[in-house]
Amino acid sequence: MASPRDVVGRRSALSRKVCPMNDMFPVHDEGRIIPPIAAETQQDLEAVKADILGSIERNAPRIGSRNPMIGAGADDHRWLYPEIGYFWTDSFWIGELWLAHMLTGDQRYKNMARMRNLHLERILNTPLWLSHDLGFLFSLSAVADYKLTGNQQARTLALRAADALKGRFNWAGDYLVAWTASRENMEHAAKVQGKVIIDSIQNLSLLLWAYQETCIISYRDAALRHAETLKKHIVRSDYSTFHTFDFDTSTAMPIGGNTAQGFADASCWSRGQAWGIHGFAQLAETTGNLEFLELSAKLADYALEKMGDDYVPDWDYLLPAGEERIKDSSAGAVTSSGLFILADVLCRIGDQKRGQHYRTAALRMLFALRERHDLTGDPDAEGLLSAGASHVHGAKAQGRPNLANAMLPYGDYYYFEAVLRGLGYRQFFW
């Protein structure tokens, strides 16, 4: 049962006049439906949804007020948590709680999600914790809260986060600086002050939401100019992607692309490709810019061509012959969710054939994860998916095998999101 405050807040949020991003995809357009879902597919997706909700209910008391960072190992399905009190992954479990609340109306999930608000404020008040990941952190928490309940405190918190993210924008170079430099590590500082990262395409939704809430144009301009920079420099001519790209901090001129997460600078890290597919499709839906849609499609075509018949990506799409083919279920979850967005937008502009093509691929990837890596049937598993590859190089260099094979909170969140997109849900927190 919603409290009177939540009801009033929800009405306020829904009636608020926003600055529209486009005329093609209005905020409320549920009348434009995707093609009917086959009855068997619907039944299978509903079964996955129910199992996910069961897992969340079972594990919420185990997790408590903590924020999962990574699983303990390939066969040890317990969560490990940040030792310093913060990590960029802190809001993915919160996002799952808000999705569960959205589906069930269960006030426990709302309360559990809001327990993290003081932690989120602490992040904003700690300069060295600020990065491009503010979009992940606050879209899945404060923005989610505001969109679902109309909570004005959540709106204020989300706008503070958007201000902090916009403050990272280099107006001479047209990019958001990925990480914050610290004098405690001058070698790191020298590397990061002109660096952008493919993951950041996902974080632009926070800025576009802030623009729609306030009509302050600089939020929109920072987001779209950064997107154009990623389009120009992170995406290669064959539609593979770099993990990161460096600019000269004095002249803002491009230097070149490289990787920390992928196999090599010239390879294609599969989760980075997934961020691009999902992020540019999301931008197309939000802005109506079909150039972003076509870019997402080309990134998707590259991934699907390289993926193989099992529909679960290797951690890198360009591994040399003889290299161990470690799977990354998180790349599969993000890609599947992005393909559903891509398919939906294509169908809504009348391109049913291409839309159905990408929807079929999204379902194949989703059901491959269900068949091979779903943990919801294990009563002792604290997450949803096994076989997430967080940082394969780190696993080898640091002697930490769970970095190459474990549960990942972002894999779990996007798995949940992909299931709901497959069922036709459109209103999320991006």
Side-chain angles (χ1 to χ4, degrees):
M1 185 77 178
S3 70
R5 178 177 297 178
D6 280 343
V7 172
V8 172
R10 188 179 300 117
R11 287 173 181 164
S12 174
L14 293 177
S15 63
R16 175 180 298 277
K17 291 187 177 181
V18 298
C19 281
M21 287 297 303
N22 64 79
D23 296 323
M24 189 175 298
F25 308 119
V27 174
H28 301 290
D29 65 346
E30 294 304 322
R32 302 184 187 182
I33 61 173
I34 59 176
I37 303 170
E40 184 178 355
T41 301
Q42 171 113 16
Q43 186 177 23
D44 291 343
L45 289 171
E46 290 286 358
V48 184
K49 183 181 80 171
D51 287 346
I52 289 173
L53 287 171
S55 174
I56 291 171
E57 182 174 18
R58 184 169 63 244
N59 285 302
R62 296 173 177 171
I63 294 170
S65 62
R66 298 173 295 178
N67 301 304
M69 181 176 67
I70 191 173
D75 300 311
D76 186 348
H77 304 312
R78 296 171 299 137
W79 287 119
L80 302 179
Y81 303 93
E83 295 180 0
I84 63 169
Y86 155 80
F87 200 56
W88 73 273
T89 58
D90 280 355
S91 283
F92 290 106
W93 168 248
I94 304 175
E96 290 182 62
L97 291 172
W98 280 118
L99 288 179
H101 175 67
M102 179 182 78
L103 294 173
T104 67
D106 193 323
Q107 300 300 297
R108 293 177 300 166
Y109 299 135
K110 179 185 74 175
N111 294 336
M112 289 173 186
R114 285 181 176 172
M115 281 195 306
R116 275 78 174 177
N117 285 354
L118 288 177
H119 174 65
L120 293 168
E121 289 187 14
R122 184 181 174 210
I123 291 173
L124 288 179
N125 292 331
T126 308
L128 292 180
W129 288 1
L130 302 182
S131 72
H132 73 96
D133 291 314
L134 287 163
F136 286 128
L137 288 163
F138 288 87
S139 293
L140 297 179
S141 57
V143 173
D145 189 350
Y146 175 63
K147 284 188 172 184
L148 292 178
T149 74
N151 182 356
Q152 293 298 307
Q153 290 179 330
R155 179 180 184 272
T156 299
L157 186 62
L159 287 174
R160 281 187 60 200
D163 284 336
L165 182 57
K166 185 177 68 172
R168 308 187 64 78
F169 191 70
N170 182 320
W171 294 93
D174 282 350
Y175 61 85
L176 289 162
V177 178
W179 296 291
T180 299
S182 167
R183 65 184 303 164
E184 296 176 0
N185 187 340
M186 295 306 292
E187 181 181 358
H188 177 261
K191 293 180 180 178
V192 302
Q193 294 182 79
K195 187 177 289 292
V196 300
I197 180 172
I198 183 62
D199 315 36
S200 63
I201 192 67
Q202 291 287 114
N203 295 310
L204 302 184
S205 293
L206 178 63
L207 295 175
L208 296 178
W209 168 82
Y211 166 70
Q212 292 177 89
E213 282 294 311
T214 67
C215 299
I216 296 174
I217 294 174
S218 56
Y219 290 126
R220 181 197 66 191
D221 287 354
L224 297 184
R225 286 164 67 172
H226 180 75
E228 290 293 338
T229 295
L230 295 183
K231 178 182 172 184
K232 181 177 180 180
H233 295 291
I234 284 274
V235 179
R236 303 184 183 110
S237 59
D238 65 352
Y239 298 103
S240 63
T241 51
F242 291 113
H243 174 205
T244 67
F245 196 93
D246 292 319
F247 294 88
D248 187 298
T249 55
S250 299
T251 65
M253 295 299 292
I255 296 174
N258 47 54
T259 193
Q261 296 276 28
F263 178 79
D265 289 345
S267 70
C268 183
W269 175 48
S270 62
R271 192 163 66 250
Q273 192 80 3
W275 295 136
I277 293 165
H278 191 292
F280 281 109
Q282 186 69 54
L283 276 178
E285 182 177 49
T286 302
T287 67
N289 184 337
L290 297 186
E291 289 185 7
F292 292 143
L293 184 70
E294 290 304 321
L295 180 55
S296 175
K298 288 182 170 66
L299 295 173
D301 291 343
Y302 182 94
L304 292 170
E305 181 183 349
K306 300 290 185 182
M307 193 173 299
D309 295 336
D310 65 356
Y311 283 92
V312 179
D314 295 337
W315 70 284
D316 195 293
Y317 286 126
L318 292 175
L319 291 173
E323 194 67 30
E324 183 181 4
R325 310 197 80 79
I326 296 169
K327 294 295 181 180
D328 183 10
S329 62
S330 73
V334 178
T335 301
S336 177
S337 186
L339 289 173
F340 279 121
I341 304 172
L342 178 59
D344 187 36
V345 176
L346 283 166
C347 288
R348 287 151 74 184
I349 64 173
D351 196 340
Q352 301 287 332
K353 183 177 180 180
R354 291 177 70 206
Q356 191 58 50
H357 165 73
Y358 291 115
R359 178 174 173 79
T360 298
L363 287 168
R364 285 175 176 165
M365 294 189 71
L366 184 56
F367 288 131
L369 293 174
R370 171 69 160 175
E371 178 183 349
R372 296 176 175 86
H373 301 298
D374 185 293
L375 296 171
T376 58
D378 181 350
D380 296 322
E382 296 180 0
L384 305 179
L385 287 178
S386 64
S390 170
H391 190 189
V392 174
H393 287 316
K396 297 174 181 178
Q398 302 171 36
R400 297 172 56 193
N402 67 321
L403 292 179
N405 188 346
M407 301 182 304
L408 293 172
Y410 37 94
D412 283 7
Y413 169 79
Y414 282 95
Y415 183 49
F416 196 0
E417 182 182 292
V419 170
L420 297 185
R421 291 190 186 278
L423 284 167
Y425 289 83
R426 284 182 180 162
Q427 301 301 321
F428 292 90
F429 314 134
W430 305 111

